[in-house]
Amino acid sequence: MEILFLMLGLWYIGLFFQTFFLHRYAAHQTFTMSPFAEKVCFFLTWVFQGSNYLSAYGYGVMHRMHHAFADTEKDPHSPKYDDNVFAMMWRTKTIYSAINKKQIDVPEKFTKNVPQWEAFDKFASSKVSRLTWGTLYTLFFLAFATVWWQWLFLPVAFLMAPIHGVIINWFAHIYGYVNFKVNDTSKNLLPFDFLMMGEGYHNNHHTHSGRANFGGVRWHEIDFTYCIMVVLDKFNLIQIKKI
């Protein structure tokens, strides 16, 4: 049972900070928050992504490039230009690392106002940090795994954030339905997105990238991340931008 709770926590809480902080805040700036709250989000993203921590700067810049060049040769991740899902994941990793380390020149429109905490990112992305988290996951499994098949979840814990990314960047460009005709292959992966907390409404998002709410086009499209954001807005912890 402990292994199940760990995996559910890493899946949904890690996913929340990926879609809430890295995606809707860093990349699209659909809401604002105080500098202190921003730092808290950096820290919590590290806690719940652990060994696969993603930098807000690297993610935000790369995601803006994805929207600008969706399904073209310049897209950092597109099923149309990669032979298989592993090739796409490796290309995504390579581009993300180059952006994050500022090894390539990126136009200002992709970097403008993207949050960055360089000192913390350097620590959270370090081998020491990733190996420490990996060791903690392994020790947890040693303490609580009771049957052999539970160990199959350990690699998932190591790579949770990339798995979240590939579900949207690969599968949500191949499978699903569309509400809007767009110039790319983005689709809404699930009619009721219990799996990806609203990220799965990818066609909606590609049509209205500045909206905080990825769902709401059809009655069954409930964006759970946006529901949480509305509560945070009511408590004045964030301020959702009105479109």
Side-chain angles (χ1 to χ4, degrees), residues 23-35:
H23 191 181
R24 305 184 202 215
Y25 180 74
H28 293 292
Q29 299 177 344
T30 62
F31 64 95
T32 60
M33 59 180 162
S34 69

Side-chain angles (χ1 to χ4, degrees), residues 46 52 62 114 150 157 171 191 197 200 202 227 235 241:
W46 172 67
N52 43 100
M62 186 172 67
V114 177
Q150 291 178 344
F171 293 101
M197 297 187 70
H202 203 49
C227 294
F235 282 93
K241 293 182 179 180

Side-chain angles (χ1 to χ4, degrees), residues 24 198 201 204 211-218 221-223 226:
R24 305 184 202 215
Y201 300 128
N204 294 355
R211 289 182 66 217
N213 185 3
F214 291 0
V217 176
R218 301 192 188 191
E221 293 176 354
I222 301 173
D223 181 349
Y226 180 70

Side-chain angles (χ1 to χ4, degrees), residues 57 93-106:
Y57 180 82
K93 173 189 178 298
T94 301
I95 295 172
Y96 163 83
S97 296
I99 292 170
N100 208 35
K101 295 176 182 177
K102 299 183 179 178
Q103 295 172 336
I104 58 174
D105 292 327
V106 179

Side-chain angles (χ1 to χ4, degrees), residues 2-19 44-53 133-134 136-138 140-141 153-164 195-197:
E2 291 85 356
I3 299 296
L4 176 61
F5 286 146
L6 173 68
M7 296 308 297
L8 286 174
L10 292 176
W11 183 274
Y12 283 107
I13 306 177
L15 175 60
F16 171 76
F17 282 101
Q18 184 164 326
T19 182
L44 293 178
T45 300
W46 172 67
V47 169
F48 291 105
Q49 287 191 332
S51 64
N52 43 100
Y53 169 83
W133 281 112
L136 290 174
Y137 298 155
T138 304
F140 189 93
F141 273 73
F153 289 115
L154 185 57
V156 179
F158 291 155
L159 298 170
M160 189 71 79
I163 290 170
H164 287 149
L195 183 66
M196 298 300 295
M197 297 187 70

Side-chain angles (χ1 to χ4, degrees), residues 23-24 27-31 63 67 178-184 186-188 198-199 201-218 221 223 226 229 240-243:
H23 191 181
R24 305 184 202 215
H28 293 292
Q29 299 177 344
T30 62
F31 64 95
H63 187 73
H67 275 267
V178 298
N179 286 330
F180 304 99
K181 185 177 180 180
V182 291
N183 295 322
D184 57 62
S186 60
K187 296 175 175 60
N188 293 328
E199 284 286 297
Y201 300 128
H202 203 49
N203 175 252
N204 294 355
H205 172 57
H206 268 244
T207 305
H208 302 292
S209 60
R211 289 182 66 217
N213 185 3
F214 291 0
V217 176
R218 301 192 188 191
E221 293 176 354
D223 181 349
Y226 180 70
M229 290 172 63
I240 297 174
K241 293 182 179 180
K242 307 302 180 184
I243 303 298

